[in-house]
């Protein structure tokens, strides 16, 4: 009986953690702009678009293409910088 109760409690905790993790995923549309070391846009007038969790792939792809760049992520719905994702400093 005690073992069954412990397993049930562990299962409930696991479900709660998985549900909370799903809420933290980025949702919506994002615009990404890469800047060089001097703060100038790498591709003036152009930005990359990403939806939802694909924003992580877009950030990583930008860093692969432009090592050392600073990537700024803008939430297209609010027009504000997505502070939980941005700015991101790419490694050189």
């Amino acid at each position: 009986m005690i073992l069954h109760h412990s397993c049930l409690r562990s299962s409930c905790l696991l479900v709660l953690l998985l549900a909370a993790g799903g809420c933290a995923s980025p949702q919506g549309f994002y615009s990404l702009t890469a800047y060089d070391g001097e703060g100038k846009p790498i591709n003036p007038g152009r930005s990359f678009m990403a939806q939802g969790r694909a924003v992580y792939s877009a950030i990583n792809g930008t860093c692969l293409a432009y090592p050392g760049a600073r990537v700024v992520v803008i939430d297209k719905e609010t027009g504000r910088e997505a502070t939980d994702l941005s700015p991101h400093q790419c490694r050189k």
Side-chain angles (χ1 to χ4, degrees):
M1 182 72 169
I2 293 175
L3 178 61
H4 183 266
H5 179 70
S6 177
C7 289
L8 180 62
R9 190 165 66 190
S10 296
S11 296
C12 288
L13 180 61
L14 178 62
V15 169
L16 179 65
L17 289 174
L18 289 173
C23 295
S25 296
Q27 297 180 3
F29 289 91
Y30 298 93
S31 171
L32 290 81
T33 305
Y35 295 89
D36 65 15
E38 297 175 3
K40 297 178 185 174
I42 291 176
N43 289 324
R46 295 187 179 174
S47 60
F48 303 100
M49 295 291 296
Q51 180 181 7
R53 291 173 43 157
V55 70
Y56 295 119
S57 297
I59 291 169
N60 289 336
T62 302
C63 288
L64 285 173
Y66 307 108
R70 184 174 54 91
V71 181
V72 175
V73 181
I74 303 294
D75 184 326
K76 294 298 285 181
E77 184 178 331
T78 64
R80 295 183 177 182
E81 187 172 349
T83 56
D84 53 335
L85 300 168
S86 178
H88 179 83
Q89 182 65 49
C90 301
R91 295 181 186 175
K92 289 185 179 185

